[in-house]
Amino acid sequence: MKHLRWIIPVIVAVILVVNSACSPNHELFDAEATQAISDSLSPVDSIDHNHTWVLTDTRSITVKANADVNARWLKILTADPRKDQNAEVATQVMISDGESAFLSFCYPKTLTTLYAALVDDEGRMTVTEFTPSDNHVDFSEPLYTKQLMTYIPQPLTLVYCYEEEMPDYTNLNFDYNDCVLGISYERTGEREMRFHVTLRAVGTDRPMSAALHLKNFKYDEIDTIYTEGGASFNVNSKGEEIPEQVISPNLLRTKELLLKSQSQDKEEDKEAVINLFCDAHWATGDLLPPNDQWMIDHWYYNVSKTSSSDMTYRTIVPKEVTYVVKFKESMGLEYLNFDLIDPFIIKEYLGGTFEVHQFAYRNDWVLKNYKIAEEIVKLPWALIIPYKKFRHPLDGVNIGFKKKGTQGFGAYSSVTGHTFGEWSMNQYLANDWYLNEYATENQVY
């Protein structure tokens, strides 16, 4: 299990301490030494060096509501809701008959057909299909008009899976379950966006915070932010707020919902950051205030199929919080898509504080300034899965490696043509490896 500590990590830590003893900031982390350790310990020898580690594509289109259907909403769908109850809303905007709208959105790379729907006040849908390569869409030849659906598509959910070990290369297993977040968003008004965040799993015994960076959207552009029903990841199931004295010193200690990014020099350039939680374990809702008020238990949540007798493993119902963000102006919201949503975790290591971002923003810092070599690892520290039913690996089970000339191993390695290993070797292959039918049943949650 990941919480066991072996002799090699101790030796490596000593090396890093020695190499960093003269640091003026008293941080023990040394990026150059860590790079050398990474190269020596990495189990991967065949990664696609041009890999973007992205399973979605992004499109921008103009849609004309040229239909007499009393339209109120325009929705872009991943499937035909009349035929597929897995259809999701990639993006949506308010619209009226005769108007045109510009939309930017992300969708799974596996899709070759998308759908646009005009929806009236009674929920009746007028639907047309289009291909991802289309730049303009209209309703001159709809598939059907003003039909009620037995299934109402929900916002597209992406699952964010993190490895909190970054930059600790001494205890790697790449099970991508140290923090698992389900995130969706929807535009619910002219100036209003809602972000639905679900904490699905915590597979580490170390403290961890999390936040969500809205790239290219300024802090000063936001009018208000609140949560539906006053929900909070910083409040447990008993309604008790996390005590400040148990929050790790270098993590997120403030409970303010809206924060300013710190990576811009000018105050007016600082971007908006949604504060998700101070401590991932408390955020599960399972913990009670500690008796001594100084330490909380850091169990493993939803990464084992059974709860252990010593309570190392726990099973919980994933907790969801919806953040309602009202902007001062509507201009620019049509460009907001998953490419500009960067949720990240914050952790401590050898006296330093690090942010773990998705691969596209792997060298960014938002709230905590840190230094790390640009290409310090051959695999990403976070994966983004465009599949709400994704089953993350169990504790200690790697996601599915494949070395040259060897058979693949791990949670997504059993079905040739649909494995994580094949995708890691060539980003254009096996883009559907994450579907449930390709998982190894006894190795996923």
Side-chain angles (χ1 to χ4, degrees):
M1 293 185 295
K2 201 178 325 184
H3 52 291
L4 296 176
R5 305 297 183 221
W6 304 100
I7 187 64
I8 292 179
V10 175
I11 295 174
V12 173
V14 172
I15 294 173
L16 293 177
V17 169
V18 172
N19 288 338
S20 313
C22 297
S23 170
N25 296 323
H26 305 291
E27 290 185 7
L28 303 181
F29 175 71
D30 186 309
E32 292 184 3
T34 304
Q35 176 68 72
I37 294 169
S38 169
D39 292 340
S40 66
L41 296 180
S42 176
V44 180
D45 63 1
S46 53
I47 291 296
D48 181 345
H49 295 295
N50 297 314
H51 217 306
T52 61
W53 303 103
V54 175
L55 290 163
T56 56
D57 279 329
T58 303
R59 291 297 300 163
S60 296
I61 63 171
T62 299
V63 182
K64 185 173 183 179
N66 58 327
D68 184 18
V69 295
N70 296 319
R72 176 168 174 78
W73 288 96
L74 167 63
K75 300 175 184 281
I76 303 299
L77 306 175
T78 60
D80 183 350
R82 186 174 58 175
K83 300 179 180 179
D84 190 343
Q85 294 196 353
N86 291 313
E88 293 179 287
V89 181
T91 190
Q92 65 182 31
V93 66
M94 298 179 72
I95 201 170
S96 298
D97 291 354
E99 293 182 344
S100 293
F102 173 85
L103 304 99
S104 181
F105 59 94
C106 301
Y107 63 95
K109 281 187 175 182
T110 54
L111 299 182
T112 58
T113 303
L114 297 170
Y115 298 82
L118 297 175
V119 186
D120 65 17
D121 282 332
E122 297 180 4
R124 294 177 297 185
M125 286 189 176
T126 298
V127 175
T128 190
E129 65 179 1
F130 64 98
T131 64
S133 61
D134 292 336
N135 295 318
H136 300 274
V137 177
D138 62 37
F139 291 82
S140 57
E141 297 181 3
L143 297 176
Y144 46 89
T145 303
K146 301 180 72 170
Q147 290 194 17
L148 287 173
M149 299 295 154
T150 58
Y151 166 74
I152 305 301
Q154 299 302 304
L156 174 66
T157 296
L158 267 57
V159 181
Y160 293 76
C161 303
Y162 297 88
E163 273 294 313
E164 65 91 22
E165 277 85 356
M166 192 288 287
D168 178 5
Y169 297 88
T170 64
N171 199 26
L172 295 176
N173 56 23
F174 289 105
D175 53 15
Y176 289 99
N177 65 20
D178 298 327
C179 181
V180 181
L181 298 173
I183 296 179
S184 63
Y185 73 92
E186 56 183 328
R187 190 170 180 176
T188 49
E190 184 76 16
R191 298 182 292 109
E192 182 180 281
M193 303 289 296
R194 296 186 182 224
F195 299 88
H196 309 284
V197 181
T198 302
L199 180 58
R200 295 187 172 198
V202 178
T204 178
D205 58 1
R206 300 174 182 176
M208 178 194 308
S209 298
L212 191 156
H213 180 202
L214 296 179
K215 295 182 70 70
N216 299 344
F217 289 87
K218 303 294 189 293
Y219 174 91
D220 290 335
E221 294 175 344
I222 292 181
D223 187 14
T224 60
I225 179 173
Y226 62 93
T227 63
E228 286 187 351
S232 172
F233 284 117
N234 290 320
V235 176
N236 67 10
S237 59
K238 301 289 186 180
E240 299 162 318
E241 193 169 62
I242 182 172
E244 292 187 8
Q245 61 266 34
V246 306
I247 304 173
S248 294
N250 296 321
L251 301 187
L252 285 181
R253 299 187 62 81
T254 178
K255 298 162 191 173
E256 294 291 330
L257 290 179
L258 182 62
L259 306 177
K260 290 182 181 180
S261 64
Q262 298 300 307
S263 54
Q264 294 83 22
D265 294 330
K266 296 181 179 180
E267 191 69 19
E268 62 268 23
D269 292 335
K270 295 186 181 299
E271 295 177 337
V273 182
I274 299 175
N275 185 355
L276 299 184
F277 49 78
C278 298
D279 184 275
H281 295 84
W282 189 276
T284 64
D286 179 62
L287 297 185
L288 298 176
N291 293 329
D292 58 10
Q293 294 295 309
W294 288 103
M295 184 177 295
I296 58 177
D297 296 309
H298 288 86
W299 295 309
Y300 288 61
Y301 291 93
N302 292 357
V303 294
S304 175
K305 292 188 175 181
T306 58
S307 296
S308 57
S309 58
D310 62 358
M311 303 308 288
T312 299
Y313 292 117
R314 304 287 292 269
T315 299
I316 59 166
V317 176
K319 184 175 181 179
E320 179 178 322
V321 176
T322 295
Y323 301 84
V324 183
V325 181
K326 292 188 176 181
F327 293 78
K328 295 177 181 177
E329 303 288 342
S330 61
M331 184 178 299
L333 289 185
E334 65 271 20
Y335 291 97
L336 201 161
N337 59 41
F338 277 111
D339 288 344
L340 301 180
I341 296 173
D342 178 30
F344 60 95
I345 61 173
I346 304 172
K347 55 152 297 183
E348 297 172 304
Y349 177 64
L350 290 180
T353 304
F354 296 86
E355 297 176 357
V356 183
H357 293 261
Q358 57 188 283
F359 185 77
Y361 306 124
R362 61 196 179 280
N363 298 316
D364 285 7
W365 70 272
V366 178
L367 299 174
K368 304 290 185 177
N369 193 358
Y370 62 97
K371 295 180 181 179
I372 187 168
E374 289 188 1
E375 301 299 336
I376 203 165
V377 70
K378 294 180 175 67
L379 287 169
W381 293 112
L383 289 174
I384 308 172
I385 314 299
Y387 184 49
K388 63 183 177 182
K389 298 180 180 180
F390 179 67
R391 301 175 65 188
H392 54 268
L394 298 176
D395 180 42
V397 177
N398 85 70
I399 200 162
F401 292 162
K402 180 176 174 60
K403 293 187 177 183
K404 292 179 181 177
T406 65
Q407 184 177 358
F409 58 98
Y412 289 87
S413 63
S414 59
V415 183
T416 301
H418 306 278
T419 69
F420 176 87
E422 291 167 297
W423 181 62
S424 68
M425 295 174 70
N426 186 332
Q427 62 182 302
Y428 302 105
L429 299 179
N431 281 309
D432 61 353
W433 62 266
Y434 51 81
L435 299 178
N436 285 348
E437 54 261 43
Y438 306 131
T440 304
E441 180 59 35
N442 63 353
Q443 296 186 11
V444 295
Y445 185 72

